[in-house]
Structure formats: C-alpha cells, structure tokens
C-alpha cells in the first residue's frame, strides 16, 4: 500500500515469514530477495532500538535509526540518526557510493 515495493529490490515481512526481528533469519530472507547475502553488508533503517537497530547489528548491517525519542538504555548505537523516513532515504541516496553494488 505504501508504494515502497516500486523502489526497493526486495523485502521480508515478519507476519508473512513467521520470523520476527531481531532474528537474523528475517534479514537473511530480505537480503536473498535483494540478490545478495548478509556477508555483503548493507543497511537496516528502522525506528525500534531492539528489533531494527539491535537486529541489524546482529545481522552485520550498518544501521539508521529513525529517532522518535525512545533510545534510552539500549546498546548498539546506530551509525546514523534521522528524524523521519524521508531523511533516511536522502541519507542513503547521498551515500550511494558507500552502498554495496549489485553484480
């Protein structure tokens, strides 16, 4: 419904896959659908400190946290912090040369 499927290479939904973040299995499915694997690196963008940022770190990914003010007491700080998803998209687009390349 969001239209994101038109601008991403692949995705995995926990409700459909039966695996919930921070389980790395969900990240592995998403990476495979993007034509890559977790060993190739990548970014996780999310707003949940444990599921998104902690899970992304556990999967070996760099992370961008969408800050809604609920970080206190969580380990694994994100590499980048933004205020909304549009800023996350801009950040990743601007860092395009730092992103993994498709074969």
């Amino acid at each position: 419904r969001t239209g994101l499927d038109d601008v991403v290479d692949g995705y995995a939904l926990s409700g459909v896959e039966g695996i919930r973040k921070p389980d790395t299995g969900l990240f592995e499915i998403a990476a495979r659908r993007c034509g890559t694997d977790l060993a190739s690196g990548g970014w996780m963008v999310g707003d949940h400190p444990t599921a998104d940022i902690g899970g992304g770190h556990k999967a070996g990914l760099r992370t961008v946290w969408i800050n809604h003010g609920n970080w206190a007491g969580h380990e694994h700080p994100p590499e980048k912090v933004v205020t909304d998803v549009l800023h996350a998209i801009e950040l990743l687009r601007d860092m395009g040369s730092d992103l993994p390349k498709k074969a």
Side-chain angles (χ1 to χ4, degrees):
R1 287 184 264 160
T2 64
L4 287 175
D5 59 329
D6 293 333
V7 295
V8 299
D9 294 325
Y11 57 89
L13 303 172
S14 60
V16 174
E17 308 303 336
I19 305 171
R20 298 188 60 82
K21 296 177 288 184
D23 187 317
T24 59
L26 192 62
F27 297 96
E28 290 168 352
I29 292 168
R32 194 167 43 250
R33 290 185 181 158
C34 290
T36 190
D37 57 40
L38 294 178
S40 298
W43 289 87
M44 170 61 196
V45 177
D47 62 355
H48 194 280
T50 303
D52 297 328
I53 305 308
H57 279 273
K58 187 176 171 185
L61 302 172
R62 292 176 285 177
T63 57
V64 178
W65 181 48
I66 301 171
N67 181 356
H68 295 300
N70 57 348
W71 188 264
H74 294 281
E75 55 184 294
H76 305 300
E79 280 78 11
K80 304 289 182 178
V81 178
V82 296
T83 56
D84 59 50
V85 71
L86 294 178
H87 286 119
I89 291 168
E90 286 178 22
L91 176 78
L92 294 176
R93 185 189 62 224
D94 291 346
M95 294 183 342
S97 62
D98 190 30
L99 299 175
K101 303 288 186 234
K102 285 186 168 183

